[in-house]
């Protein structure tokens, strides 16, 4: 009984610690990253859903600390991202400790897997392709991709948000047609995805022609996007971030209350176990004492 109570108490402490790391990461993300990034929507920078599955912790810490160093090192992924976002320089965050960045990454991982709240969608985004293409892209995506992938969160496979900005279309077409060929070629990005998603084999889609794949990618691009932000990296926050922050404020007190209730319940359970243990020991002592007297 005592061992069980100790185990339950340890689990409660671990759960509380994870919750604290999550809340810390969320707070830092909202204050430091939320002007340019969202987990579930593309803003000034790419959507960040599933990002911890797409890169190593070491790469992400280096990029967050100083993205320009990674870009200037010749990293192909970082250079492509830089070009796709019009060479917008992401500010360095070298004032953040590794522990703080790990808290951000933990928040991104949890939020990618279990999104909190309803995230805003924008039906009035103006794009450069026709509604017919979007409708066709949705049909193709739902028929070929949606069983394993979401655009704004993790699924059986990674989130596909902002994928057209992350990787060149020729690479994406090769991967969609036959992911195993790309993986077996030793491509580091493809290999990492394969390993991080339990080595699940994505079926080949070699029956799709270039036009169909382009329409799917256009649809993903459309669904990833958000309204154009205010000019300037430090400009006024977009609607999406403001809605997220309002959601955070509304739920903050409830989360704190739940956490406090859970902690108190765990402590009471542990205390009850200790009292029961003492009671049984006293009873055993009295029994032995009476037996000795008799």
């Amino acid at each position: 009984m005592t061992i069980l109570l100790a185990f339950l108490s340890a689990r409660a402490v671990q759960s509380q610690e994870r919750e604290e790391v999550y809340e810390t990461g969320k707070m830092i993300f909202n204050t430091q990253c939320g002007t340019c990034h969202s987990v579930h929507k593309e803003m000034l920078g790419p959507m960040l859903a599933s990002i911890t599955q797409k890169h190593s912790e070491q790469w992400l810490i280096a990029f967050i600390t100083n993205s320009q160093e990674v870009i200037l090192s010749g990293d192909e992924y970082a250079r492509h991202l830089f070009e796709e976002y019009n060479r917008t320089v992401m500010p360095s965050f070298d004032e953040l400790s590794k522990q703080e960045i790990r808290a951000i990454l933990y928040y991104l991982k949890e939020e990618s897997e279990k999104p909190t709240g309803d995230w805003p969608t924008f039906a009035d985004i103006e794009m450069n392709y026709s509604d017919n293409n979007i409708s066709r892209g949705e049909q193709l995506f739902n028929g070929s991709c949606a069983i394993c992938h979401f655009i704004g969160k993790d699924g059986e496979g990674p989130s596909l948000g902002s994928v057209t900005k992350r990787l060149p279309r020729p690479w994406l077409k090769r991967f969609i047609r036959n992911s195993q060929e790309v993986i077996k070629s030793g491509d580091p990005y493809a290999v990492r995805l394969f390993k991080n998603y339990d080595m699940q084999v994505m079926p080949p889609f070699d029956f799709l022609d270039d036009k169909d794949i382009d329409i799917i990618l256009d649809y993903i691009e459309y669904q990833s996007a958000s309204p154009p932000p205010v000019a300037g990296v430090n400009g006024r926050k977009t609607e999406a971030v403001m809605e997220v922050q309002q959601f955070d404020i509304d739920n903050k007190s409830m989360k704190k209350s739940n956490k406090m209730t859970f902690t108190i319940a765990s402590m009471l359970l542990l205390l009850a176990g200790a009292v029961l243990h003492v009671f049984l020991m006293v009873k055993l002592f009295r029994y032995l004492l009476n037996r000795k007297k008799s």
Side-chain angles (χ1 to χ4, degrees):
M1 180 68 176
T2 304
I3 295 173
L4 176 60
L5 288 170
F7 173 75
L8 290 173
S9 178
R11 288 290 298 272
V13 171
Q14 289 174 358
S15 177
Q16 184 176 350
E17 287 175 350
R18 285 195 296 268
E19 180 68 19
E20 287 172 359
V21 172
Y22 175 90
E23 291 296 334
T24 299
K26 181 179 181 180
M27 179 194 69
I28 299 171
F29 179 84
N30 285 340
T31 56
Q32 300 288 339
C33 318
T35 301
C36 299
H37 293 283
S38 166
V39 184
H40 308 287
K41 277 286 178 185
E42 187 175 300
M43 294 170 57
L44 274 177
M47 186 189 301
L48 296 181
S50 302
I51 192 66
T52 57
Q53 298 288 73
K54 296 170 181 174
H55 294 285
S56 68
E57 182 184 274
Q58 181 182 2
W59 189 96
L60 290 167
I61 290 174
F63 193 84
I64 292 169
T65 303
N66 193 325
S67 64
Q68 285 300 298
E69 279 190 2
V70 180
I71 292 164
L72 294 173
S73 74
D75 184 287
E76 289 185 11
Y77 178 93
R79 288 174 62 185
H80 181 77
L81 203 62
F82 185 51
E83 294 296 334
E84 285 295 315
Y85 284 94
N86 301 317
R87 303 177 69 84
T88 302
V89 177
M90 172 178 160
S92 59
F93 292 95
D94 47 10
E95 75 279 4
L96 292 177
S97 67
K98 287 185 178 180
Q99 184 177 358
E100 288 173 321
I101 295 175
R102 287 190 180 103
I104 294 172
L105 297 179
Y106 181 74
Y107 163 70
L108 292 174
K109 181 178 184 298
E110 291 294 301
E111 184 60 26
S112 296
E113 294 174 356
K114 300 180 285 287
T116 56
D118 295 323
W119 291 79
T121 57
F122 303 91
D124 55 347
I125 306 169
E126 293 182 7
M127 306 300 276
N128 293 325
Y129 31 77
S130 69
D131 289 341
N132 288 337
N133 268 3
I134 297 300
S135 178
R136 174 66 177 154
E138 183 177 22
Q139 291 172 3
L140 288 169
F141 181 87
N142 289 338
S144 301
C145 317
I147 191 170
C148 296
H149 294 281
F150 296 98
I151 293 174
K153 68 172 186 174
D154 221 10
E156 291 296 315
S159 160
L160 297 180
S162 302
V163 71
T164 55
K165 303 283 184 68
R166 297 180 186 282
L167 297 157
R169 287 205 179 206
W171 188 98
L172 291 168
K173 289 177 181 179
R174 289 199 307 273
F175 192 85
I176 290 168
R177 287 207 175 96
N178 196 326
S179 64
Q180 284 300 297
E181 278 189 3
V182 182
I183 291 163
K184 288 174 182 176
S185 74
D187 184 285
Y189 189 86
V191 170
R192 176 168 293 281
L193 284 180
F194 186 51
K195 287 181 178 178
N196 284 348
Y197 285 92
D198 301 324
M199 303 184 80
Q200 295 183 79
V201 177
M202 173 177 161
F205 293 93
D206 47 7
F207 56 88
L208 294 173
D209 60 26
D210 268 10
K211 184 179 178 182
D212 282 341
I213 295 177
D214 275 323
I215 288 174
I216 291 172
L217 295 176
D218 286 346
Y219 169 73
I220 292 171
E221 190 172 305
Y222 174 84
Q223 290 294 340
S224 300
S226 65
V230 177
V233 172
N234 296 315
R236 186 167 52 86
K237 294 181 181 178
T238 64
E239 220 175 305
V241 175
M242 294 176 74
E243 288 198 27
V244 171
Q245 291 183 335
Q246 185 59 49
F247 179 84
D248 293 343
I249 292 168
D250 293 342
N251 285 274
K252 188 175 180 182
S253 59
M254 184 177 70
K255 284 193 173 184
K256 282 187 176 179
S257 175
N258 289 342
K259 186 166 70 173
M260 182 64 72
T261 302
F262 183 75
T263 304
I264 292 171
S266 300
M267 291 176 67
L268 288 174
L269 186 62
L270 188 61
L271 181 61
V275 170
L276 179 62
H277 182 72
V278 171
F279 174 76
L280 291 174
M281 291 296 293
V282 169
K283 196 167 184 180
L284 178 63
F285 177 76
R286 285 179 176 173
Y287 170 76
L288 293 174
L289 189 63
N290 291 334
R291 186 175 178 185
K292 186 176 180 181
K293 288 180 178 179
S294 60

